[in-house]
Amino acid sequence: YSQDELKTLVGQAALKYVAPGEIVGVGTGSTVNKFIDALATVKDSIPGAVSSSVASTERLKALGIKVLDANEVQRLAVYIDGADEIDGKGYMVKGGGAALTREKIVAALADRFVCIADESKRVDVLGAFPLPVEVIPMAAGQIARRFEALGGQSGIHAQIRMKDGAPLVTDNGQHILDVRGLKIADPLAFESEVNQWPGVVTVGVFAHQKAAVCLLGTARGVQTLEY
Ligand code: DER
């Protein structure tokens, strides 16, 4: 299978977690786009979706799926989203698509986070993928220095994500730092620590909002991992 075929496989496999009559929480990214395309085939069986980005909202609406505001729902049975990395406990690094803040918000509404990913996302230790952190622009410099000063780890480097020659601006009007050189041995503690740094909007470690299930696309087909 190509990576694109693996994404299609897991996007379709995620349909089995969509219960008729239930509003679905929908993440962001190329793998989620495959899920949205699959969801469109059963759109008459669900009242709608809560979206984690402008990009996903546009795709859902284009396919005739009703998009509800997060404040219109109390709970979601399921949240379907991709990841940049997922470890053996279902902890993830997310934010490659710059949607990490709303992804974590919608994930927090859901009883079960179902991660859909191709096998390239499976890691033992989080951090090889540059960690996305959404920041208030005026705090970017001091947050970058805090990462670079993290004890015991040399070669950590944080940089503002650029787009078309200027800092990328998120759906929430903030900037993204991508932090290279980290080895995140304790994702829960790391997420709690960074979350409290002034100016951090969201850190792209999803440990407190970890996956309950991962549908992993592999050369041997879809593996269902539970955590
Ligand atoms: O930005 C995100 O968190 C996305 O979910 C990302 O982690 C996965 O995107 P992909 O499916 O395009 O690799």
Side-chain angles (χ1 to χ4, degrees):
Y1 298 103
S2 69
Q3 188 180 39
D4 191 65
E5 287 165 335
L6 292 179
K7 292 182 179 184
T8 301
L9 276 178
V10 295
Q12 290 171 346
L15 278 186
K16 68 173 174 288
Y17 291 87
V18 175
E22 287 278 356
I23 300 165
V24 188
V26 176
T28 297
S30 61
T31 311
V32 163
N33 286 345
K34 303 289 191 185
F35 168 67
I36 293 173
D37 295 348
L39 189 66
T41 67
V42 298
K43 67 173 183 279
D44 296 335
S45 72
I46 58 166
V50 173
S51 171
S52 63
S53 64
V54 170
S56 290
T57 294
E58 287 171 353
R59 195 179 189 97
L60 286 159
K61 286 184 172 176
L63 292 168
I65 301 169
K66 189 171 188 302
V67 176
L68 299 164
D69 184 280
N71 288 312
E72 292 179 77
V73 305
Q74 300 291 321
R75 288 299 289 168
L76 297 169
V78 74
Y79 176 66
I80 311 286
D81 199 356
D84 296 301
E85 292 180 328
I86 183 163
D87 72 7
K89 292 184 178 166
Y91 297 150
M92 297 167 282
V93 164
K94 289 176 54 54
L100 63 162
T101 294
R102 297 188 183 190
E103 289 174 335
K104 203 177 269 190
I105 290 167
V106 183
L109 281 173
D111 295 333
R112 193 156 56 154
F113 187 137
V114 175
C115 180
I116 52 175
D118 66 86
E119 58 191 346
S120 72
K121 308 301 182 65
R122 183 71 184 78
V123 299
D124 290 333
V125 179
L126 300 179
F129 185 89
L131 176 67
V133 186
E134 185 160 348
V135 300
I136 303 291
M138 75 178 283
Q142 73 171 283
I143 293 167
R145 290 193 295 278
R146 275 180 182 257
F147 277 113
E148 289 162 8
L150 280 180
Q153 301 190 30
S154 63
I156 296 173
H157 179 62
Q159 62 185 90
I160 292 282
R161 190 178 301 181
M162 303 295 281
K163 183 174 180 185
D164 306 330
L168 177 147
V169 177
T170 68
D171 288 348
N172 313 303
Q174 310 307 338
H175 288 172
I176 300 267
L177 277 179
D178 291 305
V179 188
R180 289 170 170 74
L182 291 169
K183 290 182 183 61
I184 305 171
D186 183 347
L188 277 169
F190 185 89
E191 183 180 9
S192 299
E193 163 68 19
V194 175
N195 267 338
Q196 62 182 319
W197 295 354
V200 169
V201 177
T202 303
V203 58
V205 171
F206 281 54
H208 295 282
Q209 301 299 328
K210 74 182 186 76
V213 175
C214 179
L215 302 180
L216 195 71
T218 76
R220 294 168 304 289
V222 176
Q223 275 186 344
T224 301
L225 307 171
E226 299 198 344
Y227 309 100

